[in-house]
Amino acid sequence: MQLTLTVNGTARTFDGDPAMPLLWYLRDGLALTGAKFGCGTGVCGACTVHIDGSPARACTTPMKSAAGKTVVTIEGLDAAHPVKQAWQEINVPQCGYCQTGQIMSAAALLASTPKPDDEDIDAALRGNICRCGTYQRIRDAVKKAAGVTA
Amino acid sequence: MNTVIIPVSRRGFLKGLVSAGAFVLGARVLPLEALAAAQASTAPWEPSVYLALEPDGRVLIIAHRSEMGTGIRTVLPTIVADELDADWDRVEIVQALGDKKYGSQNTDGSCSIRDFYVAMREAGATARLMLERAAAAQWNVPASECRVQLHTVGHQASGRSAEFGALVTAASALPMPAKEELRFKQPSEYRYIGKNVPIIDLEDLCNGRGTFGMDAVVPGMVYATIERPPVLGATLKSHQDAAALKVAGVEQTVVLETTGYPVGMKMLGGVAVIARDTWSAIRGRQALKVEWDLGPHASYDTAAFKKTLIATARQPGRVARSGGDVDAALASATRRHEATYYTPPLSHAPMEPPVAVASVKDGKAEVWAPTQNPQAVQSVVAAALGITETDVICHVTLLGGGFGRKSFPDYCAEAAVLSQKIGKPVKVVWTREDDIRHDFYHGECAMHMQGGLDAQGKPVAWLQRSVFPPIGSIFNVEEQYGGGQLNMGWTDVPFAISNFRAENGPSEAHVRIGWLRAVANVHHAFGVQSFIDELAHLAGRDPIEYWLETLGASRKLDAELKAQGYELRGLSGQPQFVPDTARLRRVVELVRDRSGWATRKTAPGHGWGFAAHRSFFSYIATVVEVRVDDDGTVHIPRVDMAVDCGLIINPDRVIAQFEGAATFGAGVAMVSALSAQGGRIREGNFHNYQVPRIHQAPLRTHVHIVETTEPPAGVGEPGVPPVAPAICNAIFAATGKRVRELPVGKVT
């Protein structure tokens, strides 16, 4: 079965196992390694991408569900995006492995909730684990990107 | 720390990394006693840091330590660049291969700055002096009148100047200056030290361009996942791979020999499924049928084992330190108190699970891996393949977290052995379940404490017993005692209590035990810092006041520890690293004052707690504020940490480590625990092995740094130990419920 999708603005055709998670297609198939493998069960958020503008866990999204959809990965999110800029201004990353997922979740939050409060941030980002414990700076960076004071 | 700096040939060291015209400097770290011998001998020189200046003006600095989030591969090079007064924009950082020539590369034990600070400064100062001398010779002026300023040598009187690149050839021909000739910058001259130079990987990490081990790709590689023995020491009884081989993309299965004892850092063995991509390998493995002979460790059950450890802790153990007569003092004390504490096994769970790529051919191996210890990769891979260590090339990628797990290179050996067996490059991917069920665990610990107070409430007797499966058990199956782990927050308790005894009881180990961020300090600080808080409340005293009184007069502890049977050796015994209660007192007073402890509000369900702990030569005091909901949910609105970790190179990265430690410690206190039944770890992923999420982490951590000229000490680990006891002491203040077992979960 052949299916098509758009990844970072490029039309793609996939004819492998329709049950394969989008994550492995992005990583092994397209060499887009910004989405990370952390859990494989959708509980850590390291693989977060945008599908039709909404945050999604690529590790639990089978290719058949991505058919016809528009996928944006960290590589496809504008380098000048306020979230990416705020992340750098506040020096959020430690090891950095989870941060691409954190950024994609944060960018999706701001798209739907331009002025989030602490509860909004908790709700949008509680699915993204950071083992280094950078949460305080993540919170600050989201607010900075949103232009709300901490 | 003594270092010798000798110019080295490019050949064999920086081959391929620098151009033929480059001027290469290396520094070597030598123990004091080896210094004279090394200078006199003609033995091959093994440098630990390298600095290369290119004729085009670029400065190459080798990062020989692993980057797992501390910022070390940026921060160590800033020290070299500062002494050299190089332009940071023209510095390139090159990640070192694993090689003993660099000295220790084991990025573990919070020692990178401590061990290499002086060497880095000397490397930079040596190059700077030689550039000045090269310019002076060209201009026929005294070298003392030439000065480096930002990548340029200048001579003020004649107005002449030359960039580094123009002087490289001449400088490299000069004799090395003696160490006594080196001039070091004064702190007022620092360009990068003490400033917040951003990490070099920042932009890449925020754009998905950082290359972690999980991202490593080698042409022609295949992917593997491995079904490993579910119980330590289990052996393969049978396996059926017919269904696995039918999965599209699966190429073959390979049996890996299971590990004998001691397990050491060796691979565990099992059945590997080789496929053309990761997903096919995962699917194929799900279709495997494997039967195991489980062996004796199938008896491991954490509920029963906990009872065993607690029973052992209630019995006399081996005495690790003893002063005065504890038994007599307990017997004659006005009040006695005892408590037993328990902490569960923990897994590192770095966000990037273990992963490695290896390519083995013609008796040589090349490995790409997120490793804290590339030289251990060389030795473990070499042993597994039956080749020599120098025939193993280890490329160090970025690490998606380490916390101690990635200094054990078992996963690298798996990739190498598979590559050797099938003749192709292989990438071994661990799933999260593999990671949590086959870790080198932080073992559980039971601690039993007894205290005696005099009529004024002052502690006059203190007995503490600790029992935990030791790390030593992975190297010696007979080992049941804590060894060096006892010196992590147990034998070095700083209190001035005239009758004091620390003991350690024996424990078997039923899983692989390893070191996790701050190691035994984590559970020992929980026991000691909880018990002193209990005594303070028993005496009706302010916990911080009582703590400081019990700490006693300002003093260095080496003499009294030695008199009580614990002699500080090696680095720990050097005067600048001997435990100093004045430094401990200073951080306690600082956190007390900065947190607003004296004017803290008290309300039902609202409480403040305190703990302080010295580890990795750093002194940390913590105040935590908690709010406990009616349903027992604990919130942590604020943490204050006062930190004396010696001289600081990059304050922002230090603050970040302590912010992270507050969260890591909150996980230890509140949510993280493993359990085992039938010898198998029951948890497998983040839904049941919990680590803190954003809503569970401290909302705000304030880090207060002591400005000091003491030598650099640990940063990555020492923030963790005082956090859990401070949280639990705060919970007691808020609710009257004393936590003696972790994790808290909800207060019930």
Side-chain angles (χ1 to χ4, degrees), chain B residues 303-556:
Chain B
F305 195 65
K306 173 181 161 187
K307 289 180 187 159
T308 304
L309 291 189
I310 288 174
T312 307
R314 290 181 187 280
Q315 300 297 317
R318 263 192 201 170
V319 175
R321 175 185 156 195
S322 178
D325 187 338
V326 169
D327 300 323
L330 278 172
S332 64
T334 306
R335 299 180 75 175
R336 288 179 58 172
H337 185 61
E338 64 173 62
T340 301
Y341 302 92
Y342 171 79
T343 58
L346 300 172
S347 180
H348 301 79
M351 291 315 295
E352 176 193 44
V355 59
V357 178
S359 177
V360 178
K361 57 182 176 191
D362 306 329
K364 293 181 192 297
E366 199 163 1
V367 179
W368 295 260
T371 177
Q372 292 174 240
N373 194 351
Q375 291 172 26
V377 172
Q378 291 182 288
S379 58
V380 169
V381 166
L385 297 179
I387 63 177
T388 60
E389 286 177 20
T390 48
D391 282 333
V392 179
I393 296 169
C394 180
H395 303 267
V396 180
T397 65
L398 292 176
L399 284 69
F403 313 110
R405 171 63 181 92
K406 292 173 182 168
S407 56
F408 296 97
D410 54 332
Y411 50 101
C412 302
E414 291 173 341
V417 170
L418 285 172
S419 177
Q420 186 184 49
K421 282 179 185 281
I422 71 173
K424 296 177 188 171
V426 176
K427 179 179 199 169
V428 169
V429 176
W430 286 44
T431 64
R432 179 59 58 193
E433 289 77 10
D434 295 336
D435 173 51
I436 288 179
R437 293 183 178 143
H438 302 287
D439 197 359
F440 289 80
Y441 301 98
H442 181 96
E444 55 269 76
C445 179
M447 290 165 286
H448 179 70
M449 326 281 292
Q450 294 182 19
L453 308 185
D454 68 12
Q456 286 73 44
K458 183 186 170 197
V460 290
W462 179 293
L463 170 66
Q464 57 177 33
R465 299 198 190 106
S466 173
V467 183
F468 54 90
I471 295 169
S473 62
I474 64 172
F475 303 109
N476 171 12
V477 290
E478 306 296 325
E479 186 58 78
Q480 298 202 349
Y481 288 93
Q485 289 168 271
L486 293 177
N487 302 333
M488 299 177 140
W490 201 243
T491 47
D492 51 353
V493 168
F495 297 137
I497 300 172
S498 42
N499 303 287
F500 179 99
R501 194 162 77 234
E503 300 179 6
N504 173 222
S507 170
E508 294 181 341
H510 297 293
V511 291
R512 300 191 295 183
I513 305 293
W515 36 79
L516 173 132
R517 192 175 187 179
V519 202
N521 288 291
V522 179
H523 45 250
H524 289 153
F526 173 64
V528 171
Q529 297 300 311
S530 295
F531 195 62
I532 187 72
D533 194 73
E534 293 204 31
L535 295 185
H537 284 282
L538 196 67
R541 298 289 308 282
D542 175 84
I544 294 185
E545 246 180 54
Y546 190 81
W547 200 101
L548 284 172
E549 280 176 25
T550 307
L551 181 65
S554 289
R555 65 206 188 281
K556 294 208 172 187

Side-chain angles (χ1 to χ4, degrees), chain B residues 113-168:
Chain B
I113 303 280
R114 186 186 75 213
D115 287 353
F116 293 96
Y117 168 69
V118 173
M120 295 289 162
R121 287 191 76 187
E122 290 180 353
T126 301
R128 172 163 45 77
L129 181 57
M130 292 173 77
L131 289 163
E132 288 169 352
R133 287 180 174 173
Q138 285 186 6
W139 302 332
N140 203 17
V141 298
S144 60
E145 293 177 8
C146 294
R147 278 284 179 273
V148 166
Q149 186 157 24
L150 197 60
H151 234 84
T152 302
V153 184
H155 182 248
Q156 201 176 8
S158 65
R160 276 186 278 205
S161 68
E163 291 224 318
F164 283 179
L167 296 166
V168 159

Side-chain angles (χ1 to χ4, degrees), chain B residues 524-657:
Chain B
H524 289 153
F526 173 64
V528 171
Q529 297 300 311
S530 295
F531 195 62
I532 187 72
D533 194 73
E534 293 204 31
L535 295 185
H537 284 282
L538 196 67
R541 298 289 308 282
D542 175 84
I544 294 185
E545 246 180 54
Y546 190 81
W547 200 101
L548 284 172
E549 280 176 25
T550 307
L551 181 65
S554 289
R555 65 206 188 281
K556 294 208 172 187
L557 292 179
D558 45 349
E560 71 192 61
L561 291 177
K562 187 177 178 183
Q564 296 179 19
Y566 169 38
E567 186 173 359
L568 298 166
R569 292 197 175 88
L571 201 60
S572 302
Q574 289 186 11
Q576 69 272 32
F577 290 121
V578 166
D580 180 348
T581 62
R583 293 178 72 183
L584 200 43
R585 173 175 295 274
R586 191 185 309 148
V587 291
V588 172
E589 291 172 346
L590 184 64
V591 82
R592 178 195 63 194
D593 297 344
R594 295 282 181 88
S595 67
W597 175 268
T599 54
R600 66 193 184 278
K601 285 180 290 184
T602 49
H606 202 99
W608 292 46
F610 164 78
H613 188 80
R614 170 191 171 276
S615 61
F616 305 93
F617 309 113
S618 288
Y619 301 78
I620 319 298
T622 305
V623 166
V624 173
E625 181 185 359
V626 301
R627 194 183 77 243
V628 184
D629 291 346
D630 290 343
D631 73 351
T633 304
V634 177
H635 304 270
I636 308 172
R638 178 168 171 164
V639 172
D640 285 80
M641 302 185 94
V643 174
D644 174 357
C645 56
L647 183 75
I648 285 173
I649 310 304
N650 189 316
D652 180 70
R653 289 301 84 195
V654 171
I655 289 166
Q657 282 304 299

Side-chain angles (χ1 to χ4, degrees), chain A residues 56-121:
Chain A
R57 310 297 184 217
C59 77
T60 50
T61 302
M63 285 305 292
K64 60 176 180 282
S65 301
K69 304 282 176 65
T70 295
V71 176
V72 175
T73 71
I74 188 76
E75 294 92 340
L77 189 72
D78 189 350
H81 191 285
V83 169
K84 283 187 174 177
Q85 291 301 309
W87 242 250
Q88 291 168 67
E89 285 161 24
I90 292 181
N91 292 322
V92 174
Q94 288 187 25
C95 85
Y97 193 79
C98 76
Q99 298 297 347
T100 49
Q102 305 275 3
I103 288 169
M104 294 307 281
S105 288
L109 167 66
L110 295 191
S112 62
T113 311
K115 302 288 175 195
D117 61 16
D118 280 332
E119 279 185 23
D120 296 327
I121 293 171

